[in-house]
Structure formats: structure tokens, C-alpha cells
Amino acid sequence: MTKKLLELPIPTFNHESEAHRKLATLGNQSRKKSEAVVHSGEFPIDSSVARQRAFIRTHLGAEMEEIDELVAKLLSK
């Protein structure tokens, strides 16, 4: 089975959409939080990229869950 990601019904950003604005805000918050985590003394700098990504994901759990829910709603319309 071939996945055709670009054929998903991804809507164009609409500043009037509360869901779109919330996604933008969550994305910005997640970027800032990820940057802080990377610069923390706990970040596994000498580990594999997979382990580093997992470390960041554990610190962004709540944000990622909310992003997943919003994206699921947008794609189901």
C-alpha cells in the first residue's frame, strides 16, 4: 500500500478558525518548550536521534495529545 500524504484533505490555514489558531499557538509553545528541553542538563546529547526525539516527546505529552485531537477533527471534516 502506498501512502499519499499530500492527498490528505488538509485544509488551508484559516485565521478565523479557532482550531487553526489553537494549532498555531500549540506549535509555537511546543517549539519553545522543546528548545528549553534541549538546553536542559537532562537532555541525552550523546544518545541516538531516536532517543533524543523520545525524550522531547515525553516532555511534550500534553501538547502533542491536544495537537493530535485538533488535527483529527480538522481531517474528519
Side-chain angles (χ1 to χ4, degrees):
M1 179 168 101
T2 303
K3 294 183 180 181
K4 296 182 180 182
L5 185 60
L6 296 177
E7 291 184 12
L8 286 174
I10 300 171
T12 302
F13 181 78
N14 178 356
H15 190 48
E16 295 179 13
S17 167
E18 183 179 342
H20 287 199
R21 288 192 313 271
K22 183 66 176 171
L23 276 172
T25 299
L26 284 167
N28 192 37
Q29 290 171 350
S30 297
R31 180 194 57 79
K32 288 177 182 177
K33 194 171 181 180
S34 295
E35 187 175 349
V37 167
V38 167
H39 294 294
S40 75
E42 300 175 32
F43 186 71
I45 192 104
D46 294 329
S47 296
S48 68
V49 172
R51 183 176 167 133
Q52 291 172 347
R53 289 179 66 206
F55 185 84
I56 291 171
R57 275 194 310 271
T58 61
H59 286 81
L60 294 178
E63 291 87 350
M64 290 181 67
E65 188 174 314
E66 194 169 355
I67 288 169
D68 287 347
E69 289 174 10
L70 285 167
V71 169
K73 286 179 186 178
L74 286 171
L75 293 179
S76 68
K77 290 183 177 182

